[in-house]
Amino acid sequence: MELVVAHLAGLGHRRIAMVTQLSDPRAERHNPHFVERMDAFCQALRRRGIPVEARLLVDFELQEPRDTRGLNELILKRLLRGARAPTALCFTNDHLALQFTAFARRLGLPIPGRLSVTGFDGTVASAHASPPLTTVAQDYEGFARVA
């Protein structure tokens, strides 16, 4: 998340929101990878003197693994309305970021432009999105060698 926050701060963003799925309903516990990403995000903001605002930290539990409609509506209502709306959204995975980007495009919300969106995982789909998604690529082959 350090790279993501550094990139967004370098573009001039100071109101950066984090959207994550900390809760894993199948395991009935918090996903440790997303908890780590949220902690790293907050630390990266603080290192740059950017305040961590609880309102800009969104934890969402998907009712169905691939159904993001409720999340997109929540982001629209909770984050993007009002004078203090964030100028950037960081998602803890590419799937959520791509789903939100498609939703925003249908609403006519320009990305990039009005809002920057980043993902995490470096999926193939992120490179083929229009516009391509800024994301942090994971070294899955390296993980497999260690395991």
Side-chain angles (χ1 to χ4, degrees):
M1 296 313 299
E2 181 70 34
L3 294 172
V4 170
V5 172
H7 173 72
L8 293 170
L11 293 174
H13 293 284
R14 302 281 301 160
R15 294 193 40 78
I16 306 169
M18 168 65 102
V19 180
T20 186
Q21 183 185 351
L22 289 178
S23 302
D24 183 346
R26 293 164 293 189
E28 297 182 4
R29 63 181 173 81
H30 285 330
N31 181 317
H33 301 292
F34 292 167
V35 171
E36 290 171 11
R37 291 175 194 176
M38 178 68 82
D39 289 344
F41 172 79
C42 292
Q43 290 173 17
L45 288 176
R46 287 185 190 105
R47 274 193 285 281
R48 286 163 182 76
I50 300 172
V52 176
E53 297 180 45
R55 184 181 94 70
L56 298 180
L57 304 176
V58 177
D59 176 21
F60 186 80
E61 184 177 311
L62 295 176
Q63 299 306 310
E64 296 292 327
R66 294 292 188 200
D67 185 3
T68 60
R69 288 174 296 194
L71 174 59
N72 294 333
E73 292 292 333
L74 176 71
I75 292 168
L76 185 63
K77 290 176 185 171
R78 180 173 162 188
L79 292 178
L80 300 182
R81 295 207 171 128
R84 305 236 350 118
T87 59
L89 296 177
C90 297
F91 289 84
T92 52
N93 66 50
D94 288 351
H95 171 72
L96 294 177
L98 291 168
Q99 292 296 316
F100 177 78
T101 301
F103 172 76
R105 187 173 29 254
R106 288 191 301 275
L107 294 178
L109 183 64
I111 297 175
R114 157 71 175 81
L115 188 65
S116 293
V117 174
T118 66
F120 199 100
D121 288 329
T123 61
V124 173
S126 66
H128 296 288
S130 178
L133 179 67
T134 299
T135 184
V136 175
Q138 296 271 34
D139 181 12
Y140 293 110
E141 291 179 10
F143 295 154
R145 281 193 298 277
V146 171

